[in-house]
Amino acid sequence: MANTATVQNNAQSGHLVKAFREGIFAGVIAFGMFILYIGIKTDQDISNTLIWYPRWGLLATFVAIAAVGRFVIVGFLSPWLAERKASRAQVPVHEIEAKESFFHKHFLKIALLALVLYPPVILSIYGIQGSLKFVDNFGIQILIYVMLAWGLNIVVGLAGLLDLGYVAFYAVGAYSYALLSQQFGLSFWVLLPISGILAAFWGIMLGFPVLRLRGDYLAIVTLAFGEIIRLVLINWTDVTRGTFGVSGIPKATLFGIKFDASPDGFAKLFGLPMSSAYYKIFLFYLILALCLLTAYVTIRLRRMPIGRAWEALREDETACRSLGINTVTTKLTAFAIGAMFGGFAGSFFAARQGFVSPESFVFLESAVILAIVVLGGMGSLTGIAVAAIVMVGGTELLREMEFLKQIFGPDFTPELYRMLLFGLAMIIVMLFKPRGFVGSREPTAFLKERRAVSGSFTKEGHG
């Protein structure tokens, strides 16, 4: 017993020594990475001369966070995770599958109920005007990215076609609604399917030239397609008004009822005080309905022959051809349907903003949407939704973290470090959850009994 205790103490001290060493190493690396980015700030004086001054306190805070964080991870978190994994490995698989909690079993119903009740709960807590920020920034904004990521999931997660220009279809849908509503006076409900159809048409136009491409080459071509669309929006000034964008876009209506101050407006019609919160709440439920439509169509398509053809194409295109599957129509339908949902989201975005410009459809948007799909777990609708909440909601939450100025100093602006923290979050997630938030899948085709398949047994985490 004494020898066992001695061995355990030596192992623990060894872990702490290793953690201390790696903590110092992480602090040195953080110092080298952040000394120019955070430790030095540049500015201009009244003579328009470039000046700089150090921020040693802020730099020391970041270095300390890196060093202490690495020490905690190596010394305490990693041994605990290893012990937990070893203890779970000793439990039989059938016992793990039998222990399905109530929350896990009814997760989708609970999540849907929470989304439906979210606006009235926020309205009762913060009032009419106070709820605007939470319904818009933390509700509508997240759901837009959920819908975009679910649309891209059809192309990337199900069909295995790496698309880096998905934001182009988002732009097509937004500009289709903006221009057609102004030129022809059509309503949102008429232009919503038209925008989706036009985006699907451009998805087919993109799909034809890339039928023989795969992998990195496909990614480069789709990236170029997204940039071409953006440059066309900038330079075709006679139609798109270039960098000035399209303003004064009509709002969506509820059965012909407008959300304005007119006598026939929503507020006056129902005897409510004037506020833009009603329109935001209406938009929240509208985008929620569009997200549910996207999820329903995706689930139904996965169970149909076309959905299984997508999965076969993703796993092995050569084997897919040998089975007699028409890869041309399979790829084109994936691009078209994914683009259609991007067009729906784009038309909604234009109705929500009332203004669109090429700056809203840069490559960074495609990268963020693709990151959400990968981090959530390609092919998993639930995982993608969770990833969108964490990534988009987390970055929006930075605007509310004024207490960070007390930690990093009064000059610290959380919004400026949004992408830095976004990248760090992605690195952390991929280190601990390399298969995404949801690493298991339920197959669409099964024999006698449906069993969840671990992402580690499928190609690149797909399933």
Side-chain angles (χ1 to χ4, degrees), residues 168-431:
F169 310 122
Y170 188 35
V172 168
Y175 271 87
S176 297
Y177 173 72
L179 297 175
L180 293 177
S181 61
Q182 288 190 342
Q183 296 296 327
F184 299 99
L186 299 176
S187 68
F188 171 80
W189 301 104
V190 174
L191 291 178
L192 179 65
I194 292 177
S195 300
I197 293 172
L198 291 176
F201 171 76
W202 280 105
I204 296 174
M205 294 293 291
L206 170 63
F208 269 113
V210 301
L211 289 175
R212 293 177 175 268
L213 301 178
R214 65 180 72 179
D216 301 337
Y217 302 100
L218 175 63
I220 292 172
V221 173
T222 54
L223 171 61
F225 176 78
E227 287 300 300
I228 289 172
I229 294 295
R230 187 180 67 86
L231 292 175
V232 168
L233 296 178
I234 292 175
N235 295 293
W236 199 6
T237 55
D238 294 338
V239 176
T240 64
R241 302 174 192 174
T243 55
F244 294 101
V246 181
S247 59
I249 301 173
K251 296 181 179 180
T253 59
L254 176 62
F255 301 109
I257 302 174
K258 296 182 179 180
F259 291 84
D260 54 15
S262 62
D264 297 330
F266 181 84
K268 295 291 183 64
L269 189 63
F270 291 94
L272 300 172
M274 285 301 303
S275 175
S276 58
Y278 306 122
Y279 184 59
K280 295 298 182 182
I281 294 174
F282 164 68
L283 290 180
F284 177 88
Y285 286 114
L286 176 58
I287 188 61
L288 177 60
L290 291 175
C291 287
L292 294 177
L293 174 65
T294 306
Y296 176 77
V297 172
T298 302
I299 293 172
R300 294 291 296 176
L301 287 176
R302 284 195 66 179
R303 297 172 181 173
M304 295 174 64
I306 184 61
R308 297 177 183 178
W310 287 340
E311 294 179 347
L313 177 68
R314 177 194 63 204
E315 297 301 329
D316 194 325
E317 184 173 347
T318 304
C320 184
R321 291 175 182 272
S322 67
L323 291 173
I325 297 176
N326 190 339
T327 57
V328 174
T329 56
T330 303
K331 289 183 178 181
L332 292 181
T333 51
F335 275 115
I337 295 175
M340 179 183 68
F341 290 120
F344 289 159
S347 61
F348 174 84
F349 173 79
R352 172 210 179 195
Q353 296 292 111
F355 171 78
V356 292
S357 67
E359 285 73 19
S360 300
F361 310 104
V362 295
F363 167 71
L364 181 62
E365 293 296 318
S366 291
V368 170
I369 298 168
L370 181 61
I372 291 172
V373 174
V374 175
L375 295 177
M378 289 188 280
S380 171
L381 298 180
T382 304
I384 291 172
V386 173
I389 293 172
V390 172
M391 294 303 167
V392 180
T395 54
E396 289 294 328
L397 194 63
L398 285 175
R399 306 179 191 274
E400 310 300 322
M401 294 183 176
E402 293 295 329
F403 67 90
L404 292 176
K405 293 185 177 181
Q406 301 177 0
I407 302 174
F408 298 109
D411 296 333
F412 181 76
T413 306
E415 293 86 352
L416 298 179
Y417 300 93
R418 183 173 65 94
M419 293 311 299
L420 174 64
L421 297 178
F422 185 81
L424 290 175
M426 287 195 295
I427 293 173
I428 293 172
V429 170
M430 295 310 294
L431 285 176

